[in-house]
């Protein structure tokens, strides 16, 4: 079995191991899940990590992100067909978030892609979706658009990726001898720059999956562990805290950011997610465009992503719990939808959840209920799916 389904580890894995990390499988990868200190249970450790990112800074090993190098004179045109939004006008040095659909209009994957040159892009994908995305892109290039001159290379393991996130992120990078001007004026959100951190070559993307001021640092993988150790050492006086995938999930949920495969299940469109803004109304074509125009896509009864706040702020709804419109469990039960993500948020000081609920946005402000296997029924209020920093100002360190 070890040969049939090998375990993949990042270049920083041994540090996580030596510093007491608990791990979880993500695809084939072993990822640091959380870092319990003495006498901490999982919830206590995650609360500490999440709180630290919002109040000082956190460091995450994001090396497992799928990474695809895209080159060729038709690269921008190709991305325009793959993603729902416009890529022809992306300037060199800038990044853009994109969602790709299957032919049926359902969300397949998402990620940030940067334009490194006129004919050169760097695409990131979800950790678990990397191989499928590369196969998907190759299939379209080889069978549908063989006229396009585009060349794809998987570079997932060529780069170690370290994310520094939080209000002290800038201070930590400067203490680590970063050669770049990291000010908001010189290093704008959704751009990237190349430079050095303590003589180690880096490509830094100013993107954020936490909603905080964040720098996603890419370095050739052979430097990954050394760079991590430098940042840990220099960040200690700023309260830099290593955080794992569980804290990452809580942080992104506080800001209402989706995870493909958690908020999506193969039956969800960008419209269902409230992401109409990412679907171009001007482009003549992209994969899934025609399917999005079917009448069924406009049904008022489609499941839509909403936020959920329990009546008891300390009660966390189990993920996957089904929603019903009344407290009555009389058969037949009308199932409205289900919970996709659910956590306790130490920053909101209460439980938060997101769910796909039929006609969800029309139900904002109303109550729905979640019956559990033990006979208990949890009451929750339907709210917008953003629980922290609703104006999104903290990404600039404000």
């Amino acid at each position: 079995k070890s040969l049939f389904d090998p375990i993949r580890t990042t270049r920083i894995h041994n540090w996580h191991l030596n510093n007491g990390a608990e791990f979880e499988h993500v695809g084939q990868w072993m990822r640091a899940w959380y870092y319990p200190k003495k006498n901490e249970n999982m919830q206590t450790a995650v609360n500490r990590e999440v709180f630290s990112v919002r109040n000082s800074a956190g460091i995450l090993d994001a090396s497992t992100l799928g990474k695809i190098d895209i080159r060729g004179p038709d690269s921008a045109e190709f991305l325009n067909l793959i993603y729902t939004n416009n890529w022809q006008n992306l300037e060199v040095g800038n990044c853009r978030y994109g969602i790709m659909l299957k032919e049926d209009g359902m969300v397949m994957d998402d990620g940030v892609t940067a334009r490194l040159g006129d004919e050169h892009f760097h695409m990131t994908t979800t950790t678990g979706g990397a191989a499928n995305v590369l196969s998907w892109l190759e299939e379209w290039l080889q069978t549908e658009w063989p006229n396009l001159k585009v060349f794809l290379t998987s570079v997932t393991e060529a780069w170690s990726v370290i994310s520094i996130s939080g209000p002290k992120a800038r201070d930590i990078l400067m203490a680590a001898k970063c050669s770049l001007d990291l000010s908001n004026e010189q290093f704008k959100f959704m751009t990237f720059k190349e430079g050095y951190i303590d003589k180690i070559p880096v490509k830094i993307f100013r993107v954020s999956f936490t909603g905080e001021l964040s720098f996603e640092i890419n370095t050739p993988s052979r430097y990954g562990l050394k760079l991590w150790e430098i940042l840990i050492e220099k960040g200690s006086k700023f309260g830099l805290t290593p955080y794992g995938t569980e804290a990452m999930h809580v942080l992104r949920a506080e800001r209402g950011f989706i995870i493909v495969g958690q908020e999506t299940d193969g039956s969800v469109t960008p419209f269902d997610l409230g992401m109409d803004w990412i679907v171009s109304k001007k482009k003549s074509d992209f994969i899934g465009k025609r399917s999005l125009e079917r009448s069924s896509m406009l049904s008022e009864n489609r499941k839509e992503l909403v936020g959920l706040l329990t009546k008891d702020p300390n009660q966390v709804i189990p993920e996957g719990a089904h929603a019903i419109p009344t407290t009555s469990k009389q058969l037949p039960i009308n199932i409205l939808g289900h919970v996709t993500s659910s956590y306790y948020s130490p920053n909101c000081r209460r439980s938060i959840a997101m769910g796909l609920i039929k006609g969800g946005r029309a139900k904002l402000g109303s109550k729905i209920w979640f019956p559990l296997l033990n006979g208990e029924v949890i009451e929750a209020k339907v709210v917008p799916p953003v629980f922290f920093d609703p104006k999104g100002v903290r990404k600039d360190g404000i």
Side-chain angles (χ1 to χ4, degrees):
K1 185 179 185 297
S2 62
L3 294 176
F4 179 74
D5 191 20
I7 291 173
R8 302 170 75 182
T9 57
T10 73
R11 295 297 183 99
I12 308 168
H13 179 78
N14 284 343
W15 188 95
H16 306 315
L17 207 59
N18 295 333
N19 284 271
E22 294 288 338
F23 293 90
E24 71 166 338
H25 287 277
V26 182
Q28 291 177 322
W29 291 95
M30 289 290 283
R31 295 198 68 179
W33 192 13
Y34 61 100
Y35 301 84
K37 291 187 174 180
K38 189 177 181 181
N39 298 326
E40 280 187 330
N41 60 24
M42 178 178 174
Q43 189 63 60
T44 305
V46 171
N47 287 351
R48 172 178 52 77
E49 292 171 18
V50 170
F51 192 77
S52 295
V53 172
R54 295 273 184 233
N55 291 278
S56 51
I59 184 169
L60 173 76
D61 182 1
S63 305
T64 62
L65 276 176
K67 297 175 271 299
I68 301 172
D69 187 80
I70 302 173
R71 297 175 188 248
D74 298 321
S75 295
E77 182 182 348
F78 176 62
L79 289 174
N80 229 32
L81 291 165
I82 291 292
Y83 283 127
T84 61
N85 48 348
N86 187 17
W87 290 80
Q88 300 275 25
N89 61 0
L90 184 67
E91 296 181 0
V92 174
N94 285 15
C95 311
R96 184 163 289 168
Y97 173 71
I99 280 183
M100 59 182 72
L101 311 180
K102 300 283 277 187
E103 300 104 311
D104 59 5
M106 306 305 170
V107 173
M108 172 188 170
D109 204 84
D110 71 341
V112 172
T113 296
R115 191 165 199 165
L116 308 185
D118 288 336
E119 300 180 359
H120 189 191
F121 292 82
H122 177 88
M123 174 190 284
T124 62
T125 74
T126 58
T127 292
N132 287 337
V133 169
L134 182 61
S135 296
W136 176 253
L137 302 184
E138 284 285 12
E139 180 181 344
W140 284 89
L141 268 180
Q142 294 181 31
T143 64
E144 300 298 325
W145 307 315
N147 57 305
L148 295 182
K149 292 183 178 178
V150 181
F151 307 94
L152 308 173
T153 307
S154 172
V155 292
T156 296
E157 299 196 39
W159 297 93
S160 286
V161 182
I162 300 169
S163 177
I164 299 278
S165 190
K168 299 289 186 183
R170 223 180 249 119
D171 299 332
I172 292 166
L173 290 186
M174 295 315 298
K177 300 179 183 176
C178 181
S179 65
L180 300 170
D181 183 342
L182 302 173
S183 65
N184 286 327
E185 295 73 28
Q186 295 301 315
F187 199 163
K188 297 184 184 302
F189 186 61
M190 295 302 280
T191 65
F192 77 89
K193 292 184 181 295
E194 295 187 66
Y196 295 87
I197 294 176
D198 199 10
K199 299 182 181 179
I200 294 176
V202 294
K203 191 184 271 103
I204 301 180
F205 297 81
R206 221 195 117 194
V207 298
S208 180
F209 195 44
T210 64
E212 295 295 320
L213 173 68
S214 296
F215 298 93
E216 202 166 273
I217 307 159
N218 289 247
T219 190
S221 55
R222 62 186 178 275
Y223 299 118
L225 178 58
K226 180 64 176 176
L227 180 57
W228 177 276
E229 291 173 340
I230 289 171
L231 292 168
I232 287 285
E233 179 193 349
K234 299 299 183 182
S236 60
K237 66 179 180 182
F238 298 98
L240 182 63
T241 300
Y243 69 100
T245 52
E246 189 68 17
M248 176 190 74
H249 280 230
V250 178
L251 289 159
R252 63 91 197 172
E254 289 177 342
R255 285 287 294 120
F257 297 153
I258 68 161
I259 288 183
V260 171
Q262 190 152 339
E263 271 62 57
T264 70
D265 60 1
S267 67
V268 178
T269 72
F271 302 140
D272 299 335
L273 297 171
M275 299 176 71
D276 309 42
W277 53 271
I278 206 168
V279 180
S280 172
K281 296 177 176 61
K282 296 179 180 179
K283 289 201 305 185
S284 60
D285 197 16
F286 57 83
I287 297 173
K289 176 179 171 64
R290 187 170 63 174
S291 294
L292 289 179
E293 295 168 355
R294 289 180 296 172
S295 58
S296 61
M297 296 297 191
L298 303 175
S299 168
E300 294 180 358
N301 210 34
R302 287 193 65 82
K303 291 181 181 179
E304 297 172 334
L305 187 69
V306 294
L308 300 164
L309 293 177
T310 54
K311 183 178 180 180
D312 177 355
N314 292 313
Q315 198 166 30
V316 179
I317 314 171
E319 289 181 353
H322 287 151
I324 59 176
T326 69
T327 55
S328 170
K329 290 181 279 185
Q330 184 177 347
L331 298 177
I333 295 177
N334 177 19
I335 303 294
L336 296 176
H338 68 282
V339 175
T340 59
S341 296
S342 185
Y343 312 98
Y344 181 82
S345 163
N347 296 302
C348 299
R349 298 181 181 179
R350 60 158 303 122
S351 71
I352 59 173
M354 293 192 284
L356 289 167
I357 305 296
K358 291 179 183 178
R361 287 190 285 274
K363 291 182 170 64
L364 292 178
S366 63
K367 296 176 183 177
I368 54 178
W369 288 265
F370 296 88
L372 306 185
L373 290 175
N374 63 6
E376 186 181 3
V377 180
I378 298 177
E379 179 183 317
K381 184 179 180 181
V382 180
V383 298
V386 181
F387 306 97
F388 188 85
D389 185 27
K391 293 184 178 179
V393 299
R394 293 177 66 101
K395 69 180 184 298
D396 289 321
I398 297 173

